[in-house]
Amino acid sequence: MSLIYEEVGGHPITPKDVDVIIDRIEKELEAVPLPNINSMEIFLADGCNLNCSYCFEGLKPKRFIPQKLAESAIDRLIEWSKDDPKISVFLFGGEPFLNWRGFKSIVSYAKNRAEACGKEIFLSTTTNGTLLNEERVRFLKTHKISLMLSIDGPPYIHDRYRRTVMGAPSSHLVERGLRLVQDYYGAEFTVRMTVMPDAAPWLFESVLFLWDKGVRQIVVRPAFGVRWTGRAWRAYWEKAHELAQYFETLFSKGETKAAVPFPEYPSEVHGFKGCMAGTTNVAVTAQGRVLPCSWFTSSTELKQNYTLGHVLEGKLNEFRRKELLLLNRQRGLPCSKCAFAQYCSGGCMAENFRTTGSLVEPDPIGCRLTALSVSFLRRFSFSSCPQDASLLEGGLPCD
């Protein structure tokens, strides 16, 4: 699975070198200390009531995690976190609210177990918002569950990509859910917006649509796993900078910077630890399989090669965990000469694999996002960013 770029004695790897390399890798892995696992994603439901065109999971059967497996997952997280004082549980899907009974049960169980073990627990969930009602939103708020809604902008954009399994628009259902969330959460929730290439020209209008509805925490990400042409990426780049200018003006008038809709906005860029899949974080499927993270469900090959164990067994594949930890510190061949390497975490390993066939060869979209990040750094006069303007003109070629 993993690619190793090596030269032995100044020459490319030959069959005679393989034993030497394997022996060295095994010794290196044996010496690697693994951190505790303190974060877990739990698939409460595999299925979904929407059929979003860019979803990495695709259509799945409506399968709920059995209560025994869900409780075992919480027990394992407490066990694997060892003496860490804090743990995080992300309730995921599919659409997690399809399994509302299981949702309520696991929240209660997780909070009770954490309290009994003297651990602080952070609970969060992401939903498409179509199944929210007042009872459910009240429950989320009462139990202090951090909430993210998926909304892609105004109906003429959102309904292009986020339709029901029957092909009907979903925007009216989502906006109803948004109003309920605002009634209970105020502005203390997040909306994630996924941008498809042909929607990039409407990025500015899409973000302002949410802003005008009172949403103050917006995360914008381009769709992965789809083809971005040079024209589409240029539109994304230009609209992102239009938004930066817009929010810069708001900041000058006293608005909070928490409202900035791009993770690429200047912040704590240096020292980012990158992907922690399989090291401090794991995901548990509705069948109890333990994977490095939810994105590893996007590929049959990744699931087969990087299943770490099962919650009913409790023992994890430490070799694979160490491999992932080491891979997270690696970079693909294109990265060795990249001007943005110091700003880059290497991207999502699962997305890298889906696009390039390697966990460490970067997905071009991730590279372009890093270029966008550095362009924001340059825009806001951070002295540490590259000064060569040609490096910042749209990132890497898109075609």
Side-chain angles (χ1 to χ4, degrees), residues 232-361:
W233 183 253
R234 173 62 62 180
Y236 186 96
W237 180 281
E238 292 175 351
K239 294 301 178 180
H241 277 277
E242 281 187 40
L243 284 164
Q245 180 62 55
Y246 180 84
F247 283 103
E248 185 179 16
T249 301
L250 287 183
F251 299 162
S252 68
K253 297 178 180 179
E255 287 281 358
T256 171
K257 292 191 178 184
V260 174
F262 290 93
E264 295 80 26
Y265 188 81
S267 59
E268 298 296 329
V269 176
H270 294 285
F272 184 64
K273 295 182 180 179
C275 174
M276 300 309 291
T279 54
T280 62
N281 178 82
V282 293
V284 176
T285 70
Q287 298 165 303
R289 177 185 291 186
V290 182
L291 293 167
C293 82
S294 57
W295 282 84
F296 274 67
T297 65
S298 65
S299 160
T300 300
E301 188 173 354
L302 285 178
K303 285 190 287 188
Q304 290 175 344
N305 288 283
Y306 285 91
T307 291
L308 302 177
H310 194 281
V311 292
L312 294 183
E313 297 169 358
K315 184 175 177 59
L316 294 178
N317 187 327
E318 299 298 284
F319 179 89
R320 284 300 193 200
R321 289 188 65 209
K322 291 181 178 182
E323 179 191 7
L324 290 166
L325 182 63
L326 291 178
L327 284 174
N328 186 48
R329 301 172 183 171
Q330 303 301 313
R331 295 293 185 270
L333 287 179
C335 306
S336 60
K337 298 179 181 180
C338 180
F340 305 141
Q342 64 176 311
Y343 301 94
C344 181
S345 66
C348 168
M349 289 191 286
E351 277 299 340
N352 289 347
F353 182 84
R354 289 178 66 195
T355 306
T356 69
S358 165
L359 295 177
V360 296
E361 290 288 348

